[in-house]
Amino acid sequence: MANINVTLEDAKVREAAAAGMDEFVNLFADAVIDSVGGQLTEEAMGRLNADQITLVAFKYLHDEVMDGGFVQLIYNGFGPFIFFNPFAKAVREWGLDDLAALVNKAGKLFRKYGRDIQRDCTDEEFMAMFEQYPEFDDLDDKFVEDEEQWVAAVAHYIDENIGRFAEIK
C-alpha cells in the first residue's frame, strides 16, 4: 500500500476533534492534500493510499456540492475524479451506502450532461445551468439533508482507522 508521510501533532488532532466533526475531517483531508503539494495529480495519487484518496475526494465532493451543488462540482472539473474512479465503492466500504447510491445517481447524470456542463461559459451561462439541469436538484437536496451524518461517519471511520490517514506524533 503506497503511503506518503502525513504527520499530525496529537494536540492538533485533539483540538480538531473537540471543535467538531467538520474540523476533524478537514484536518486530515487538508494534511493529505498538503502532503502532495496541494494538488491531487496522477503522480500525487500514486503516493497516497486508497483511504487517503477517498478522503480527499470526499472533501472535494462535500465542499463543491455544499457550495453550488453537483452542477458546480462538474463545472469545476471534479466530475471525472469523483465519477470515473471507485469513489462510490470506497465510501460504501466505509459504511456510507446512501452516499454511494447518491454518487452513482449523480454519475449517471454526469455521463449524460457532463460535457455540456464543463464547457467554458460566462457567469450568466453558468448560473443558467442550474435551471437547465433540474435533475440535479433532488440530488443536491439529498446531499445537504444527509451531509451532517455523512461527515460524522467519515470522522468515525478516520478515528477508527487513523493510521491509514496519518501518523500522529
Side-chain angles (χ1 to χ4, degrees), residues 46-62:
R47 298 182 351 209
L48 299 174
N49 66 40
D51 280 329
Q52 290 169 321
I53 294 168
T54 301
L55 177 60
V56 171
F58 177 78
K59 178 174 177 55
Y60 291 161
L61 173 73
H62 175 274

Side-chain angles (χ1 to χ4, degrees), residues 40-41 45 56-57 60-61 64-65 68-85 110 113-121 126 129:
L40 201 58
T41 62
M45 285 189 356
V56 171
Y60 291 161
L61 173 73
E64 291 292 322
V65 174
F70 281 99
V71 168
Q72 178 176 303
L73 173 105
I74 295 165
Y75 180 77
N76 285 338
F78 292 104
F81 180 55
I82 299 297
F83 304 121
F84 292 161
N85 284 304
F110 172 70
Y113 302 119
R115 281 199 180 158
D116 192 47
I117 294 172
Q118 293 177 97
R119 68 180 163 74
D120 285 336
C121 62
F126 170 70
M129 285 186 197

Side-chain angles (χ1 to χ4, degrees), residues 96-109:
L96 293 130
D97 292 343
D98 290 348
L99 177 58
L102 183 73
V103 168
N104 286 332
K105 287 177 187 174
K108 287 178 184 168
L109 294 175

